[in-house]
Amino acid sequence: MPDYTLGVTYRASLRLAPECPPGTVMRVRKSSTTSTRQSGAPYQPIKPLQGAWDVGILAKTPVPREELWTLYSWRWEYSLPGSPQRWRAGEVLRAAP
């Protein structure tokens, strides 16, 4: 959820869905939405777990504060516990004024 907007960037506020069981930890990362492979397929990092952090009350490697600043050309992705190689785009919620 964008917490604060400044021009072409925003500070993300990362939250787990309320229906997640207590103690759930998700891996998250930022991924470019403008970079693609030669074939046109979306860019995926070669080492998907490198540059990823944990979100949740029991997070061992939380997202550094400076990494929460995100350009609008990047998106946050998450992987489900049990399938760490499959990354999905996170849902972006707009904060109410």
Side-chain angles (χ1 to χ4, degrees):
M1 174 182 303
D3 180 41
Y4 183 82
T5 302
L6 183 63
V8 296
T9 188
Y10 66 93
R11 183 177 62 203
S13 176
L14 304 173
R15 299 182 181 140
L16 297 177
E19 55 271 3
C20 288
T24 299
V25 175
M26 303 285 282
R27 295 288 285 174
V28 296
R29 70 179 184 189
K30 286 194 272 188
S31 181
S32 173
T33 60
T34 58
S35 299
T36 57
R37 296 180 183 167
Q38 280 186 320
S39 64
Y43 165 78
Q44 292 294 319
I46 295 169
K47 297 179 181 177
L49 295 179
Q50 193 171 5
W53 305 281
D54 295 334
V55 172
I57 198 163
L58 301 175
K60 293 181 182 175
T61 56
V63 180
R65 292 180 67 143
E66 62 273 8
E67 290 293 339
L68 291 174
W69 285 100
T70 309
L71 289 170
Y72 280 105
S73 60
W74 289 74
R75 71 177 181 191
W76 284 92
E77 297 178 332
Y78 68 94
S79 68
L80 296 171
S83 60
Q85 300 298 322
R86 184 165 182 209
W87 293 89
R88 301 166 189 211
E91 181 180 0
V92 177
L93 304 174
R94 300 289 174 213

